[in-house]
């Protein structure tokens, strides 16, 4: 009986700790963004720096703009640069981060250039 009580006293706390209800950690958003850009064939750090230079956003704001900008680049690639950023996306960039029309034009030029470069490399 003494051994059973001793075993119970030792095992119960261990069992309680092993069954904690901690949820799994959320994925790191920067890792998700990096993987999305890699799958698209681009280096996320390069695009992040480019967004910061063109828009004058800080690093955190540029990080927030990465996924919407990937959509812009995808649209540019799909249309071979004919449609780079629709009006809804332009409004999103302007309202969310205060990006000017000139900066929007520069972002569109960059996306169109990457779309053209990608198309050329796929044809070879």
């Amino acid at each position: 009986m003494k051994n059973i009580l001793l075993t119970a006293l030792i095992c119960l706390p261990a069992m309680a700790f092993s069954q904690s209800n901690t949820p799994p950690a959320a994925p790191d958003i920067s890792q998700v963004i990096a993987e999305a850009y890699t799958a698209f064939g681009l280096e996320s750090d390069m695009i992040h720096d480019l967004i910061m230079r063109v828009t004058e956003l800080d690093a955190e704001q540029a990080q927030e703009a990465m996924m919407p900008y990937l959509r812009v680049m995808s649209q540019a690639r799909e249309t071979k640069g004919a449609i780079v950023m629709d009006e809804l996306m332009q409004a999103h960039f302007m309202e969310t981060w205060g990006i000017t029309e000139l900066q929007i034009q520069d972002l569109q030029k960059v996306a169109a250039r990457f779309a053209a470069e990608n198309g050329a490399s796929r044809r070879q």
Side-chain angles (χ1 to χ4, degrees), residues 25-92:
D28 178 25
I29 190 67
S30 59
Q31 182 66 29
V32 171
I33 291 171
E35 289 172 4
Y37 271 88
T38 299
F40 194 71
L42 296 172
E43 186 180 327
S44 65
D45 290 340
M46 179 183 67
I47 301 300
H48 183 265
D49 292 345
L50 188 137
I51 290 173
M52 285 178 56
R53 277 185 304 211
V54 169
T55 62
E56 299 174 4
L57 295 175
D58 63 32
E60 187 176 317
Q61 292 172 317
Q63 184 73 13
E64 292 172 7
M66 292 286 288
M67 289 309 283
Y69 194 62
L70 182 59
R71 184 179 183 300
V72 168
M73 297 190 92
S74 176
Q75 185 172 9
R77 184 179 284 175
E78 289 171 8
T79 63
K80 296 181 174 84
I83 299 173
V84 179
M85 190 181 296
D86 59 31
E87 291 180 22
L88 187 61
M89 189 61 78
Q90 288 178 22
H92 177 70

Side-chain angles (χ1 to χ4, degrees), residues 75-124:
Q75 185 172 9
R77 184 179 284 175
E78 289 171 8
T79 63
K80 296 181 174 84
I83 299 173
V84 179
M85 190 181 296
D86 59 31
E87 291 180 22
L88 187 61
M89 189 61 78
Q90 288 178 22
H92 177 70
F93 272 82
M94 294 169 113
E95 293 168 8
T96 306
W97 297 288
I99 295 173
T100 67
E101 286 186 40
L102 254 165
Q103 292 168 328
I104 293 285
Q105 290 173 3
D106 288 342
L107 287 173
Q108 289 177 327
K109 288 175 189 174
V110 168
R113 187 185 81 218
F114 276 105
E117 287 176 4
N118 185 271
S121 67
R122 282 187 175 182
R123 283 183 238 142
Q124 293 177 351

Side-chain angles (χ1 to χ4, degrees), residues 6-36:
L6 184 61
T7 304
L9 289 174
I10 292 173
C11 292
L12 283 177
M15 288 173 51
F17 284 116
S18 69
Q19 294 181 1
S20 66
N21 292 331
T22 55
D28 178 25
I29 190 67
S30 59
Q31 182 66 29
V32 171
I33 291 171
E35 289 172 4

